[in-house]
Amino acid sequence: MDTVEKKLPVGSDPKRKRGARINIPRTSALYTLLGSPKARVGFVIVMLFVLAAIFAPLVAPGDPKEFVGATNQPPSAQNIMGTNPQGKDVFRQLVWGGRLSLLIGFGSGALMVLIATIVGMISGYKRGIVDDILNFIMNLFLVIPGLPLLVLLSAYLKPGTATVIFSLAFTGWAYNARIIRAQTMSLREKDFVAAAVVSGEPVLKIIFVHILPNMVNIIVGGFIGAVIYGIMASTGLAFLGLASTQDVTWGTNLFWAQNGGALMIGAWWAFVPSGLAVALVAFGLALINYGMDEITNPRLIAERDVKSVLRKAKLPRMRATPVVPHEH
Amino acid sequence: MRYIMRRLGFYLAALAVAIAINFFLPRLLPGDPATIILGTSSGRLGPEELQRVREALGLSDAPLIQQFGIYLSRLFQGDFGTSYTYFPAPVTKVISTGLVWTFLLGAVSLIFSFVMGNLIGIIGSWRRGGVIDSIVPPLLILIGSFPAFFLALGLLYAFGLKLDLLPIAHAYNNRLEQGFNLPFILSVLEHMVLPATTAVLLSIGGWALGMRNVMVSVLADDYVTMAEAKGLKQIRIMFKYAARNALLPGVTGFGIALGAILSGQILIETVFSYPGLGYMLIYAVNGRDYPLMQGLFMMITVGILVANFLVDILYTRLDPRVRAG
Amino acid sequence: MSIETSEFVNPRRTADGKEPLLDINTLYVEYLTRRGPAKAVNNVSFSIQPGEVFGLAGESGCGKSTIAHTILRVLKPPAVITGGQILFDGEDVLKMNDRQLEDFRWRKVSMVFQSAMNSLNPVITVGEQVTDVILRHNKVSKKDAYDRAAELLKIVGIEPERLKSFPHQMSGGMRQRVVIAIALALNPAMMIMDEPTTALDVVVQKDILQQIQQLKETMGFSILFITHDVSLMVEFSDYMAIMYAGEIVEKAASKEIFTNPIHPYTQGLLSSFPSLTGKKRKLTGIPGSPPDLVNPPTGCKFHPRCTRCTHKETEVAPQLTEVLPGHWVAVHAGMPLPTGNDRIGQSSVAKR
């Protein structure tokens, strides 16, 4: 666990140098996001892919859709990751594919969270009929199965990036909306909000100044979750051939590989990179969320602190309250 | 009781919406739906064929209300039309065969992943900081991060193709006689291993993590402290006091989880050519078999709603506080 | 079968009167926080005799509840015990391992937790929660355990049919009584009661306290009674200790504390509560708020709020001194007492 040697606050006993090393938040927001080592690992993984995608022309120069040679060639000096059943360079496809895949993921994630926040906050704040209706709609979208609906939509709508982003947001906003609604409802009951209401502050100010800042954690966590969903779902759709197969995304890469029977021939290199990319990005994002939770959950923090004290005192862990004798 | 009634009302409303979506979706397209739907092949069909397609889809020039009426009446008679790709089988017959396989695969995978996942979550949360808690959940998240079909293909490749240990397609060996005989049953089981394993690997992380998180907060509750103060055995506290209470939020989330599991299963079925509803759905979409597609969507939705409702009933059995009201 | 003679009787329940049952010596407990350790319990010592009702009073956050949980070692992270002994019947609880603790808990010392609503498991029946502790510590049949449970409920005034109920089906007062019944289950030598009546309304409060009193007379256990309501405690306990910011500032027999409070904090506390009888007097609170336990004030922790503070208290913490027989106050030797003209002589800080 990351520890920071703290500067003793003014007035405390400088001779006191025992007990646990305490973590100090530097800047709250950044620390919450990246304080945990798990979150940092996740962040690095995601950034790697994001940067590779942004700098695709430098990392994998050339046109990913260009026919470069024989089909199903194993990795070689010419093609670092070999070629796929259509004779395209797998490495280029991987790097360039990241652009659209990540764009779709982050785009749909942002849209999902935007809708979820608006609907969730209105529903949670207003209560009454408005809440009943919105809540019903929320539960409706939660219960109607996502992928089948997506499949249905894809069958009827014109394939394209915008369509995918829209469909994903359409089917995926409800999950976070429910969480945000619950949080808004509980925050609304808190004293400082009641005070603001009573003193006649305008509703918008209450929402943006009082309620929203207290929900930043779940909104950020929700965003990350939504991005994961966006990437996974869009990849799945593309694999099934329901997205625009002319685009280069990780999902379509897999579609073409499967279509050309890559696995049957044994050309696993056409397959593994894009799938692995999706998995790693999703994993990295999940790690960030996991790490954020470790930092903000007071119980986990408490247990970690006690554990490090025990470890330093070389005492066994026990369920009962530990005894760590000190000088007094 | 009132709780159940309210939930039932909700599900009926959801069902109504699903029916409406199913109806309106084809009609939302600009232009003549039949032509657009059939795409390039519409040029080759004569006007009578196009007309028949329109009729099969329930489209006509009659006013919308009338169309809806016809649609509803057909729906309640269980008439979903005739499938193109399985012509001349009616959609309902096709769906019923798929239902059995999806249900079988789904139930088996669900039971395994739910039980194992929750156990891991419980044990991991109990021995916080131990191996099970530090390594296993992130590992499971990693495995669960893989796209369903990727994992499926991986397993298929490794165990099916390379090692030739297990079958890679279909639900059973079609040379065998169907029925409750041993060879058939064994074949079914054999064919289920890879798809089920994929499904379990994908979702186990979710259950484990969810349970662990709830356990962390439940373990701080006062009744757990009192149980410890009573000197009760650890196992009893872990299960009867903590886990039993931690299950409740999990059960609530179960219904939503079902949707995600279903999505995964669609992909798995496709990869393994496992003849369930998911496989059929994709097959139908790619074959532009619209009656089958609509029918499948309705069937899947109804299935999910029923499953959710059953989960709600289960919840009342588990939480005595809800039983009363 | 009558309870006293049942096989559940605790071996060393009645001591000879000289040996204290519970003996806490220089206990230190810290909470690890981001800003540094908070000293929740700082050098606390007291002892409880068999059959005695010992009251621990003070504001919220003064450490009394922490002490209660520490005796059974059920304090949750980030708490760490950093020094001292807790001797029960001669054994040091702080040296026990998990196995020994499991045997010690509830047999020797049981606890009635604050807010019974949260102390009872909502998804299993009340009966199960009474019998599970009986079955854990005794080799008896389930039927015997249930019979015993029915008896216990009867003792606290609940019909045995309620064994099948769930906690949410009972009223607050009933639930509190159930928790008391569970605490009685193994005939412990001592019961800790942490604010047992705070969450209840006044009428029920009185009822429950009377019941506890009767039970104590019949069964002979000691009670460590914890509350912030000093006036309640004065009536109920034999001996009292007043805590402030993790330390004991005064301890004496209850009547003595009531009639002759010496420490300014005790005086402030007593004058904060109105009494139904007696002269009408002005209610005064204590200005200020409890100190930060991570960076407490130097010297006497109460000094920022104390009207009688002199320079010495801001630098040196006063020790508990026996100013009158059996009456201990945290003062500096040589300070004049507010009541009477006796000056305090030099006495060692021995505990009662």
Side-chain angles (χ1 to χ4, degrees):
Chain A
M1 185 59 221
D2 180 54
T3 53
V4 176
E5 216 62 59
K6 69 177 170 85
K7 282 216 264 285
L8 295 177
V10 176
S12 75
D13 183 358
K15 290 196 298 247
R16 197 177 67 194
K17 205 203 179 288
R18 53 184 145 88
R21 294 219 211 115
I22 311 295
N23 301 303
I24 300 291
R26 280 165 252 187
T27 325
S28 303
L30 210 59
Y31 180 73
T32 309
L33 198 59
L34 300 178
S36 149
K38 290 196 179 78
R40 282 197 281 256
V41 169
F43 186 72
V44 165
I45 296 177
V46 174
M47 280 318 282
L48 228 77
F49 283 96
V50 169
L51 289 172
I54 295 178
F55 293 109
L58 293 173
V59 177
D63 182 5
K65 300 211 273 192
E66 188 191 344
F67 180 78
V68 290
T71 62
N72 293 315
Q73 293 303 304
S76 64
Q78 255 184 313
N79 308 301
I80 324 179
M81 288 189 180
T83 61
N84 74 354
Q86 287 78 30
K88 314 227 169 103
D89 182 291
V90 174
F91 182 63
R92 277 190 220 165
Q93 290 213 312
L94 172 69
V95 174
W96 288 85
R99 290 191 151 188
L100 269 182
S101 289
L102 289 171
L103 177 69
I104 293 175
F106 281 95
S108 60
L111 192 56
M112 268 186 259
V113 165
L114 188 65
I115 301 177
T117 310
I118 295 177
V119 174
M121 282 183 64
I122 296 180
S123 180
Y125 191 81
K126 278 278 174 201
R127 300 185 292 201
I129 278 285
V130 173
D131 178 33
D132 286 339
I133 297 180
L134 287 176
N135 195 26
F136 171 72
I137 297 181
M138 250 187 258
N139 283 326
L140 199 65
F141 274 91
L142 276 176
V143 119
I144 295 187
L147 195 60
L149 189 56
L150 274 174
V151 166
L152 210 65
L153 281 175
S154 315
Y156 285 111
L157 298 172
K158 200 160 69 89
T161 309
T163 315
V164 173
I165 293 184
F166 159 75
S167 311
L168 288 172
F170 184 69
T171 53
W173 64 273
Y175 185 75
N176 281 306
R178 204 167 75 142
I179 299 176
I180 289 180
R181 170 179 174 271
Q183 186 76 348
T184 306
M185 276 175 27
S186 90
L187 278 175
R188 198 187 190 288
E189 301 308 317
K190 295 249 178 220
D191 294 335
F192 64 91
V193 173
V197 172
V198 162
S199 52
E201 285 187 26
V203 174
L204 252 89
K205 177 155 178 243
I206 297 181
I207 290 185
F208 280 101
V209 171
H210 294 294
I211 298 189
L212 206 53
N214 282 300
M215 295 208 302
V216 174
N217 274 348
I218 54 174
I219 292 183
V220 171
F223 172 67
I224 294 180
V227 173
I228 297 178
Y229 170 72
I231 296 181
M232 303 285 274
S234 65
T235 307
L237 278 181
F239 174 73
L240 293 170
L242 296 171
S244 164
T245 50
Q246 298 312 309
D247 289 335
V248 178
T249 70
W250 289 329
T252 53
N253 291 346
L254 293 163
F255 167 76
W256 286 115
Q258 175 73 337
N259 220 2
L263 267 195
M264 297 298 167
I265 304 178
W268 54 267
W269 52 87
F271 222 88
V272 170
S274 289
L276 208 55
V278 171
L280 285 174
V281 172
F283 180 59
L285 289 168
L287 274 183
I288 297 180
N289 252 350
Y290 195 76
M292 263 185 19
D293 185 56
E294 281 191 344
I295 293 282
T296 51
N297 189 331
R299 284 182 249 283
L300 295 178
I301 298 175
E303 291 178 9
R304 262 206 304 276
D305 288 343
V306 171
K307 222 178 32 150
S308 68
V309 168
L310 283 182
R311 217 176 328 135
K312 280 185 56 186
K314 297 205 191 10
L315 290 170
R317 271 179 48 232
M318 39 169 21
R319 287 210 60 81
T321 317
V323 183
V324 185
H326 279 26
E327 298 270 308
H328 291 279
Chain B
M1 206 43 206
R2 290 203 40 224
Y3 173 74
I4 298 212
M5 280 324 208
R6 267 189 329 164
R7 299 305 292 160
L8 186 62
F10 170 71
Y11 292 123
L12 289 175
L15 186 61
V17 172
I19 293 177
I21 292 181
N22 223 359
F23 175 76
F24 280 105
L25 214 43
R27 291 168 176 77
L28 286 176
L29 297 170
D32 175 25
T35 319
I36 296 178
I37 283 171
L38 288 174
T40 48
S41 41
S42 66
R44 285 186 267 121
L45 295 172
E48 305 105 43
E49 262 95 8
L50 278 180
Q51 184 57 26
R52 243 181 288 146
V53 168
R54 280 198 209 98
E55 275 169 23
L57 286 171
L59 300 167
S60 64
D61 296 316
L64 218 54
I65 305 284
Q66 201 179 347
Q67 290 190 37
F68 194 58
I70 300 177
Y71 170 74
L72 278 181
S73 69
R74 282 199 194 155
L75 198 72
F76 286 118
Q77 288 169 36
D79 176 12
F80 284 95
T82 317
S83 155
Y84 293 162
T85 46
Y86 289 97
F87 198 85
V91 166
T92 34
K93 182 145 184 282
V94 178
I95 291 182
S96 60
T97 51
L99 186 61
V100 172
W101 295 116
T102 294
F103 186 73
L104 186 64
L105 182 62
V108 168
S109 319
L110 190 59
I111 293 176
F112 269 101
S113 70
F114 183 79
V115 171
M116 292 200 316
N118 277 305
L119 270 178
I120 294 178
I122 294 174
I123 298 178
S125 70
W126 191 254
R127 306 213 116 275
R128 297 214 33 86
V131 168
I132 294 194
D133 189 52
S134 315
I135 307 214
V136 175
L139 188 63
L140 292 177
I141 300 178
L142 177 60
I143 298 180
S145 295
F146 282 90
F149 59 89
F150 191 77
L151 209 56
L153 284 163
L155 285 177
L156 185 152
Y157 186 66
F159 292 96
L161 289 177
K162 277 283 168 156
L163 298 175
D164 204 14
L165 272 179
L166 291 159
I168 60 169
H170 307 306
Y172 55 88
N173 190 337
N174 6 19
R175 278 173 281 143
L176 290 175
E177 186 190 311
Q178 293 190 35
F180 280 110
N181 58 64
L182 196 59
F184 181 69
I185 295 181
L186 282 180
S187 176
V188 167
L189 287 176
E190 199 189 24
H191 281 80
M192 228 171 36
V193 171
L194 283 182
T197 309
T198 315
V200 169
L201 281 176
L202 277 176
S203 50
I204 201 174
W207 294 122
L209 207 60
M211 180 48 122
R212 170 199 169 269
N213 284 344
V214 180
M215 279 290 273
V216 166
S217 78
V218 162
L219 284 173
D221 275 336
D222 290 341
Y223 53 84
V224 172
T225 309
M226 174 149 165
E228 287 180 337
K230 278 155 103 177
L232 299 177
K233 281 227 167 299
Q234 305 276 352
I235 299 262
R236 185 175 168 84
I237 303 181
M238 185 158 79
F239 284 101
K240 257 304 170 74
Y241 282 76
R244 184 71 178 64
N245 277 281
L247 265 183
L248 297 178
V251 170
T252 330
F254 198 89
I256 304 175
L258 278 178
I261 293 172
L262 180 71
S263 307
Q265 192 157 327
I266 292 180
L267 294 165
I268 294 175
E269 284 181 12
T270 309
V271 166
F272 286 100
S273 306
Y274 198 83
L277 296 178
Y279 172 74
M280 284 181 183
L281 183 64
I282 305 305
Y283 190 67
V285 171
N286 281 326
R288 301 247 181 272
D289 188 345
Y290 282 87
L292 183 57
M293 217 168 69
Q294 315 260 99
L296 279 169
F297 177 72
M298 279 310 302
M299 182 77 249
I300 292 177
T301 307
V302 167
I304 291 269
L305 291 178
V306 166
N308 268 286
F309 188 54
L310 289 174
V311 168
D312 286 337
I313 296 183
L314 177 69
Y315 187 79
T316 62
R317 311 292 329 127
L318 287 176
D319 187 350
R321 289 166 290 189
V322 181
R323 232 182 277 169
Chain C
M1 71 188 159
S2 93
I3 299 143
E4 285 87 356
T5 57
S6 78
E7 61 263 32
F8 302 102
V9 170
N10 230 303
R12 282 180 69 180
R13 200 150 58 82
T14 41
D16 51 15
K18 294 235 190 74
E19 280 293 311
L21 189 58
L22 177 75
D23 197 7
I24 298 187
N25 291 324
T26 63
L27 184 65
Y28 290 86
V29 179
E30 284 178 3
Y31 283 96
L32 305 174
T33 74
R34 285 219 174 138
R35 295 180 300 124
K39 295 216 160 141
V41 176
N42 196 25
N43 197 357
V44 164
S45 309
F46 63 89
S47 54
I48 304 183
Q49 301 294 99
E52 177 180 60
V53 179
F54 189 99
L56 204 52
E59 288 170 291
S60 306
C62 71
K64 47 195 205 296
S65 197
T66 305
I67 293 182
H69 284 78
T70 309
I71 296 176
L72 285 172
R73 296 225 5 225
V74 286
L75 268 187
K76 295 257 168 281
V80 181
I81 305 172
T82 54
Q85 314 176 293
I86 298 183
L87 297 170
F88 192 88
D89 248 0
E91 285 180 74
D92 189 356
V93 179
L94 299 185
K95 291 208 167 42
M96 292 183 187
N97 59 32
D98 276 334
R99 282 283 315 281
Q100 293 166 320
L101 278 173
E102 270 182 21
D103 288 330
F104 163 74
R105 287 171 176 160
W106 225 254
R107 286 168 153 270
K108 310 271 175 74
V109 180
S110 69
M111 185 155 160
V112 175
F113 288 81
Q114 199 170 351
S115 176
M117 174 75 248
N118 300 323
S119 315
L120 290 172
N121 186 342
V123 297
I124 60 180
T125 60
V126 162
E128 236 193 292
Q129 296 184 55
V130 181
T131 55
D132 67 9
V133 68
I134 298 176
L135 290 168
R136 165 73 179 96
H137 293 267
N138 291 282
K139 280 195 170 15
V140 291
S141 69
K142 249 192 158 173
K143 179 177 180 312
D144 285 341
Y146 266 93
D147 288 340
R148 167 81 171 153
E151 257 185 60
L152 287 165
L153 284 192
K154 242 180 8 168
I155 296 177
V156 295
I158 304 182
E159 322 93 61
E161 291 82 56
R162 288 304 204 146
L163 282 174
K164 300 203 206 73
S165 306
F166 287 96
H168 70 276
Q169 293 169 318
M170 300 176 140
S171 70
M174 255 187 168
R175 274 183 245 131
Q176 196 68 32
R177 278 187 253 161
V178 167
V179 172
I180 294 173
I182 299 179
L184 292 169
L186 301 180
N187 265 8
M190 187 169 108
M191 267 221 269
I192 305 176
M193 302 196 142
D194 189 357
E195 310 261 17
T197 55
T198 311
L200 304 169
D201 55 64
V202 189
V203 179
V204 185
Q205 256 186 31
K206 192 80 183 172
D207 209 19
I208 299 237
L209 282 177
Q210 272 176 351
Q211 204 147 48
I212 297 178
Q213 192 110 26
Q214 278 171 355
L215 290 168
K216 188 210 109 178
E217 299 300 325
T218 353
M219 297 168 75
F221 47 81
S222 322
I223 301 182
L224 172 58
F225 190 82
I226 297 177
T227 182
H228 60 273
D229 185 347
V230 191
S231 48
L232 190 68
M233 175 178 288
V234 164
E235 284 188 48
F236 192 64
S237 53
D238 302 323
Y239 200 84
M240 271 170 69
I242 310 286
M243 280 188 73
Y244 183 76
E247 299 169 344
I248 296 188
V249 296
E250 187 159 2
K251 53 182 182 182
S254 307
K255 297 264 183 341
E256 173 76 8
I257 295 246
F258 186 67
T259 50
N260 189 15
I262 298 181
H263 195 280
Y265 178 66
T266 316
Q267 293 176 339
L269 214 52
L270 281 169
S271 65
S272 310
F273 286 89
S275 87
L276 216 50
T277 59
K279 270 175 33 181
K280 246 182 15 180
R281 62 181 170 82
K282 199 152 152 226
L283 269 187
T284 49
I286 310 175
S289 43
D292 175 13
L293 293 173
V294 179
N295 284 321
T298 51
C300 168
K301 294 205 173 94
F302 186 61
H303 85 248
R305 304 165 76 180
C306 184
T307 46
R308 303 208 311 262
C309 176
T310 70
H311 183 71
K312 188 151 190 212
E313 274 86 28
T314 60
E315 296 194 338
V316 183
Q319 305 292 324
L320 266 185
T321 323
E322 191 168 14
V323 305
L324 295 169
H327 190 152
W328 299 69
V329 188
V331 280
H332 286 302
M335 304 297 287
L337 293 183
T339 61
N341 293 320
D342 313 308
R343 282 186 148 253
I344 329 167
Q346 300 278 352
S347 37
S348 54
V349 188
K351 50 170 177 40
R352 177 194 176 265

